[in-house]
Amino acid sequence: MIKKLIAMIISIFVVFAVFVGCAENNMVSSDVSSAGASSEISSDEGNKVSSKIETSSVSSKESDFSSDKTSSNKTVIIKLPSKPSKNETSSVSSSGEVKRYTNPGNVGMMSYSLNMSTTTALGKDAASREKYFRAIVEEGYFNQYLVNCNNELLTHAEIVAEAGGSIWIIAGTSVKNLPSYINNVKTQFEKLKEAELLDVVNGFFWDEPTLGNRTSLEDFHTITKTLYQTFGLRNFPVFGTAEFTGNEGNTSVNPGTKKQTILTTKSLEYVTDMGFDSYSIDVRDGASNGGSSQFAKWQASCSKDIVDGKSFYTEHRKLLQKIANKPVNYWHWPSAWYDYLWGGLNGLKYADEAFWTAHLNFMANDVLEQENPGGLCIYTFRRVDTDTNVAFERRMDLKNDSNDFMVYPDVDKYYIYSERLRFWKEVFDSKKPNIIR
């Protein structure tokens, strides 16, 4: 009798424990469902960015993300684009102890003057420069980098490849020195080849190569042809507007004693990627941009259809593409420095965060609408090391392991712009464009 009573008591406890466990599981399941619904809403917001992205869907107001926003007593979780882990971004395969990195072949997001020759804010020694450069790469602002062909090329390539990125080699501009330049490239490329890193090299880059006739059209053609036939890699020049219109879009320039030569289709025969740089024009509706007299100059030198800031960039793009007379991977160059403006919105005289963000959003959309999108290269990481001429380095929200700003903590940070860079970089990573090689 006592044994039966004990058995009944044990049975009652077992049933009660099962009931409580089921109730707790239902509560957890309900919470997970709610979280899932919130995630889906956030995902839909992120998916506004497709193959063609309307500028209005990425306005600066929508860029002001935060980890949570509270309305009344309800908390809505806003899901930011997550920073991919190295395993997600790197195209790596292993063979024994050797890692093989493959070029991701994505739309590019990079910054001018960002490599270990400029990352000196933590110290000028090699270890400090490498540490700082690595931190920027791992932060996820960019996926491509402009680097010098020197003994630090291998280190650059290793750091960038680990993060799933790729690199461009800053090219030589002298025909006379071309043989020695090629020999140097071959030496450095052998090191990359041994480390299974050669594939992360996209090609060669030039900055305004013929502006002021510092390189003739004939010499530029010779250099690009020789490099293309020797290495089979892409050639990417960025031009000042004077190089293809005769009129510089930023300021009036004196190209020198010789008349500025204008690009020809022949001179671009071996060019695969291109863009132009001009930073003083505001793309926001209502900006004066110098008024009718300034627009008259651009209309005369480029296109009668230049009527505002947006059309300044699209019409110059069309002219450059027309001169190329072939498919090219197209790049825009958004402003990211404290530049003087022709006439910004509401009388703005110098570029600020809203100006930078408008440039970035507009140009990202325009690049993605091209049949062969190359990407964006912001100008610039560092222009000059002064307190007044501020560029992205002093505005980025990069933090160290102690959650303090890694560099220039006393300079106001551009949080919206920093997040927009990461956002567009992720969008560009998701694209697999038809790259002209």
Side-chain angles (χ1 to χ4, degrees):
M1 183 70 180
I2 294 175
K3 290 181 178 180
K4 288 183 180 180
L5 183 60
I6 292 172
M8 288 177 62
I9 292 171
I10 291 173
S11 298
I12 290 170
F13 273 105
V14 169
V15 171
F16 179 76
V18 170
F19 174 79
V20 171
C22 289
E24 289 177 347
N25 283 338
N26 285 338
M27 291 173 65
V28 172
S29 177
S30 174
D31 289 343
V32 170
S33 297
S34 297
S38 175
S39 250
E40 287 175 8
I41 293 171
S42 300
S43 177
D44 288 342
E45 289 296 312
N47 286 337
K48 286 180 180 178
V49 180
S50 58
S51 59
K52 182 177 179 181
I53 308 165
E54 297 300 327
T55 305
S56 59
S57 72
V58 286
S59 66
S60 58
K61 289 184 178 179
E62 289 184 24
S63 308
D64 192 7
F65 293 110
S66 60
S67 58
D68 63 89
K69 295 184 179 182
T70 305
S71 175
S72 302
N73 295 321
K74 183 178 179 181
T75 300
V76 180
I77 303 301
I78 306 296
K79 184 178 179 183
L80 294 176
S82 59
K83 185 164 65 175
S85 68
K86 290 181 182 178
N87 290 334
E88 291 174 323
T89 58
S90 298
S91 299
V92 183
S93 61
S94 296
S95 174
E97 297 181 354
V98 179
K99 291 182 178 179
R100 288 185 172 86
Y101 297 87
T102 58
N103 197 306
N106 47 12
V107 179
M109 173 67 80
M110 62 183 178
S111 175
Y112 189 80
S113 76
L114 172 55
N115 53 59
M116 284 191 290
S117 67
T118 59
T119 53
T120 58
L122 298 182
K124 295 184 179 181
D125 59 288
S128 297
R129 292 186 293 108
E130 180 180 334
K131 176 184 177 181
Y132 184 23
F133 179 73
R134 186 184 297 275
I136 297 168
V137 171
E138 292 178 349
E139 181 61 26
Y141 300 119
F142 311 106
N143 58 22
Q144 296 184 21
Y145 298 83
L146 299 171
V147 302
N148 294 302
C149 193
N150 56 24
N151 289 330
E152 291 185 327
L153 177 60
L154 179 60
T155 304
H156 277 113
E158 288 172 339
I159 294 171
V160 172
E162 283 286 349
S166 56
I167 60 177
W168 292 86
I169 308 298
I170 298 173
T173 58
S174 167
V175 169
K176 180 181 178 180
N177 297 327
L178 188 56
S180 61
Y181 176 78
I182 288 177
N183 286 335
N184 176 55
V185 172
K186 286 180 177 179
T187 298
Q188 300 302 330
F189 276 17
E190 277 300 315
K191 298 177 185 178
L192 297 183
K193 186 177 180 180
E194 290 176 8
E196 301 288 350
L197 286 164
L198 189 56
D199 191 48
V200 302
V201 179
N202 296 312
F204 299 92
F205 168 80
W206 288 263
D207 178 25
E208 299 179 340
T210 68
L211 188 65
N213 298 303
R214 53 192 173 202
T215 303
S216 69
L217 297 185
E218 294 77 13
D219 284 357
F220 180 69
H221 180 267
T222 298
I223 296 169
T224 53
K225 177 181 179 179
T226 304
L227 290 178
Y228 188 81
Q229 292 181 341
T230 304
F231 300 104
L233 297 173
R234 294 154 66 184
N235 285 319
F236 172 20
V238 60
F239 298 110
T241 57
E243 291 175 270
F244 62 103
T245 70
N247 179 41
E248 182 62 16
N250 269 0
T251 57
S252 58
V253 298
N254 180 2
T257 55
K258 298 180 181 178
K259 183 179 180 181
Q260 173 68 47
T261 55
I262 304 300
L263 294 171
T264 63
T265 300
K266 177 66 175 178
S267 66
L268 301 177
E269 181 179 5
Y270 289 91
V271 165
T272 60
D273 296 64
M274 64 164 54
F276 74 93
D277 53 358
S278 191
Y279 311 109
S280 299
I281 291 83
D282 197 333
V283 298
R284 292 172 293 181
D285 294 340
S288 68
N289 287 311
S292 58
S293 61
Q294 187 57 48
F295 278 100
K297 294 179 182 178
W298 296 326
Q299 289 167 355
S301 64
C302 179
S303 168
K304 61 181 178 56
D305 294 325
I306 296 179
V307 294
D308 57 14
K310 293 182 179 69
S311 55
F312 172 90
Y313 289 102
T314 56
E315 291 303 310
H316 278 84
R317 167 179 55 73
K318 291 175 185 177
L319 177 57
L320 196 51
Q321 290 169 322
K322 182 179 179 181
I323 296 172
N325 195 32
K326 64 177 182 179
V328 291
N329 307 308
Y330 195 80
W331 293 73
H332 269 308
W333 286 67
S335 175
W337 64 292
Y338 191 64
D339 189 20
Y340 178 78
L341 308 180
W342 283 111
L345 187 65
N346 299 321
L348 186 70
K349 292 184 178 180
Y350 292 93
D352 60 8
E353 182 175 28
F355 178 91
W356 288 14
T357 305
H359 252 217
L360 183 69
N361 289 337
F362 170 74
M363 293 182 185
N365 278 294
D366 193 60
V367 157
L368 290 177
E369 289 178 349
Q370 305 309 304
E371 288 188 20
N372 307 102
L376 300 183
C377 184
I378 69 167
Y379 184 88
T380 182
F381 176 71
R382 169 183 289 181
R383 183 170 171 87
V384 291
D385 194 14
T386 68
D387 291 330
T388 56
N389 211 339
V390 176
F392 178 62
E393 180 183 28
R394 292 173 183 251
R395 297 299 193 186
M396 64 183 176
D397 61 359
L398 180 68
K399 292 188 176 182
N400 59 24
D401 293 338
S402 301
N403 204 36
D404 298 318
F405 292 117
M406 183 168 281
V407 294
Y408 305 109
D410 297 330
V411 179
D412 291 340
K413 305 306 176 186
Y414 284 179
Y415 300 102
I416 294 175
Y417 184 77
S418 296
E419 189 54 54
R420 284 285 87 184
L421 278 178
R422 285 187 286 258
F423 171 78
W424 282 116
K425 182 263 185 185
E426 288 200 22
V427 172
F428 287 5
D429 278 344
S430 71
K431 306 296 180 185
K432 298 301 176 185
N434 179 27
I435 295 176
I436 304 299
R437 298 187 186 280

